[in-house]
Amino acid sequence: MRATRIVVLGAGIIGAACARELALAGCEVIVVDRGGPAAATTAHGEGNVLVSDKGPGPELELARLSRRLWPEVLAEGGRPAEWEPKGGIVVATTEAGAEDLRGFAASQREAGVRAEPLSAAELAAAEPHLARDVTAAFAYPEDAQVQPSGAASVLLGAALRAGAVLRTGCEVLGPVSRGGRITGVRTTLGLIEGDAFVNAAGPWAGELSARLGAPVDVRPRRGEVLVTAPMPPTVFHKVYDADYVGAVGSGSGDLQTSAVVESTRAGTILLGSSRRRVGFDDRLHPGVLSRIAAKALRLFPCLSGAAVMRAYGGFRPYVPDHLPLIGPDPRLSGLWHATGHEGAGIGLSVGTARLLADGLLSREPEMDITPFRVDRPLALAEPGSPPAAGRAVPGGEQP
């Protein structure tokens, strides 16, 4: 049966993108969040829309779909999103790293990605303040950036204009089901009924799914970013060390840092990145921030005198096999998931929404959705398994 009244659980960028896609398709959409729209993970992201960090496979295909859709979506009225198709540059700083980067870029080119080797002179022209002792560099002209909260507001605004309804301060307490199908959710604001329910709760998707009786293995993975005071033009692309790709794909819960440096339209420079699994412990640790700064300075020594204006952190929705969950839950009819994107949620949001709507509305999907199925190995959690340990963080959806 085609679902016509759909309740989206989570008002971050994934939930906002799903709400927009479904509302524009003519569905009656209700968006529910226990905090405010884009107030958690989305607000703590860098706004990356990347193909450069993904090897051949389903996530890269989803990234390419999303990269194609983003300009189309923002053409509807995306000024607050600050779309910057500035491209990315990935560098290696060791001989072994250079060999790995060349092989990685070659595999991406075979998959259709533009990965262009840069000579020393070309690199100096593209990034004049970058350290000169790099061993290899590749340009990725398809990489882009948005302002995360602005992009989410564009998506949610389009959904609301198409008739969607937003309910904030509304926490889901449990399901109402009939004959093995979810027909409603009990919330702090009362019962909300629907034909289908979309779990788009980001790092809290594991906890929410457990409350609904169909747990998925989505866990929080902490990340931190340093922000400089506004500076003269210094960094012109998203620039990162090739070891960032390994950190993204690692399953380790231990601290990992890599150099990721990029500017914003306001003139500030973002310095990342870190990854560690600490539950929902939201404390900033000076040691982590120090390691981020040291790696950033390795690429841009000119930043040694830059004033750090602030630091922030957030939680990425991590799945052990590093692929998002997109599609129906086989254990509870009417429940769908759109979560588990880890640090790529901003970039993958519009493609995810398109695939989710294709499934919900029985349309021919734009790409094979099978790799993202919910019942694959490492995606489902055992019934009764506790949510991730750590201090709870207020908000509904959280880099």
Side-chain angles (χ1 to χ4, degrees), residues 101 126 212 265 280 333 345 347-348 350 374:
L101 177 57
L212 297 176
R265 189 174 290 183
F280 284 111
S333 181
L348 300 180
V350 291
V374 176

Side-chain angles (χ1 to χ4, degrees), residues 381-395:
E382 292 297 324
S385 58
R391 292 190 294 151
V393 178

Side-chain angles (χ1 to χ4, degrees), residues 261-358:
V261 184
E262 62 188 315
S263 63
T264 69
R265 189 174 290 183
T268 61
I269 296 177
L270 308 180
L271 310 177
S273 67
S274 67
R275 278 174 163 76
R276 54 196 176 101
R277 290 210 305 272
V278 291
F280 284 111
D281 184 347
D282 63 349
R283 292 171 293 181
L284 289 171
H285 289 271
V288 175
L289 301 179
S290 177
R291 284 182 59 172
I292 291 172
K295 292 208 169 184
L297 289 173
R298 171 70 180 80
L299 293 187
F300 287 90
C302 64
L303 296 178
S304 60
V308 173
M309 182 171 63
R310 65 187 179 99
Y312 65 88
F315 299 100
R316 307 175 178 97
Y318 166 85
V319 178
D321 66 2
H322 304 287
L323 284 178
L325 309 179
I326 308 172
D329 195 299
R331 301 160 297 178
L332 183 59
S333 181
L335 176 62
W336 292 64
H337 299 275
T339 185
H341 300 79
E342 201 172 330
I346 303 293
L348 300 180
S349 58
V350 291
T352 294
R354 179 65 56 85
L355 295 182
L356 182 90
D358 288 342

